[in-house]
Amino acid sequence: MRVVSLVPSLTEAVAVSAPGLLVGATDWCSHPADLDVVRIGGTKNPDVDAILRLRPDVVVANEEENREPDLAALRQAGTTVMVTVVRDLPGAFAELERVLADGCGLSARPAWLDAAQEAWDAVRPGTPRLKAVVPVWRRPWMVLGRDTFAGDLLARLGVDHLHAGHPERYPRVPLGELRAAGADVVVLPDEPYRFTADDGPEAFPGLPAALVSGRHLTWYGPSLAEAPRVLRAALR
């Protein structure tokens, strides 16, 4: 079995669960730290010819992170492409099982997946619940909207983001509206935009800022096992 991953979280999931299967990954696939595979470009601009030269049995992708024209080109060349759709935590667990079992041929559920399920089953929302604005980009400002995996994780931890009912999943919202939204906290992940202590909090004067790990907020893979602890520590 030869696998190419176009999704950083799936790259980590496959590499940890079945060392040796992964032959290619994107430039953004940073975990595991010692990952040694052929790099095939970015998530939005993969080198289709380079992927085909690797002769993968399956390419794993995500409907949000990867572009349909690239996936269509791979399919047209005869490559099997498995596309995940993840909007919440239960969906993430289901898709991980599908990728590892159906895509990679694993017969045994990996221990980290059990640990992640147990960690999230034990989560109880913090009290009082917090209202949050959650930017994911600036210039222009974009925030979490409806039906997002990150929004579901935050809600399970007792943090309700104020744009969960927006018609768009990642709406552009003017900064003035974000400041006036009535949030208790602004949650600033370090990806996809790399918010830092010096880049982000200053835009929300007087509002507490929680700098959180994007890998633990947005990735669905082995990081899920420690995500409740890491995120709770950053949010409270």
Side-chain angles (χ1 to χ4, degrees), residues 9-10 12-13 92-93 96 112-113 116 149 215 219-225:
S9 54
L10 291 179
E12 184 177 17
F93 283 132
L96 284 165
W112 67 261
L113 193 51
F149 174 67
R215 176 168 169 259
W219 287 33
Y220 49 101
S223 58
L224 280 173

Side-chain angles (χ1 to χ4, degrees), residues 114-128:
D114 288 331
Q117 188 101 50
E118 292 169 5
W120 281 100
D121 285 347
V123 165
R124 299 295 178 268
T127 55

Side-chain angles (χ1 to χ4, degrees), residues 7-16 28-34 65 86 89 92 96 112 116 120 136 149-150 153-154 157 187-195 211-231 234:
V7 185
S9 54
L10 291 179
T11 295
E12 184 177 17
V14 174
V16 170
W28 297 101
C29 295
S30 57
H31 289 75
D34 60 352
E65 295 195 49
V86 175
L89 185 62
L96 284 165
W112 67 261
W120 281 100
V136 293
F149 174 67
L153 294 195
L154 289 172
L157 294 167
V187 177
L188 298 169
D190 61 10
E191 61 175 78
Y193 185 91
R194 187 173 180 79
F195 288 106
L211 296 167
V212 303
S213 162
R215 176 168 169 259
H216 293 96
L217 182 63
T218 64
W219 287 33
Y220 49 101
S223 58
L224 280 173
E226 60 184 14
R229 173 181 56 81
V230 172
L231 292 174

Side-chain angles (χ1 to χ4, degrees), residues 69-94:
D70 298 317
L71 306 183
L74 290 168
R75 293 191 189 97
Q76 188 173 5
T79 300
T80 297
V81 179
M82 178 174 283
V83 181
T84 58
V85 178
V86 175
R87 302 292 174 88
D88 55 25
L89 185 62
F93 283 132

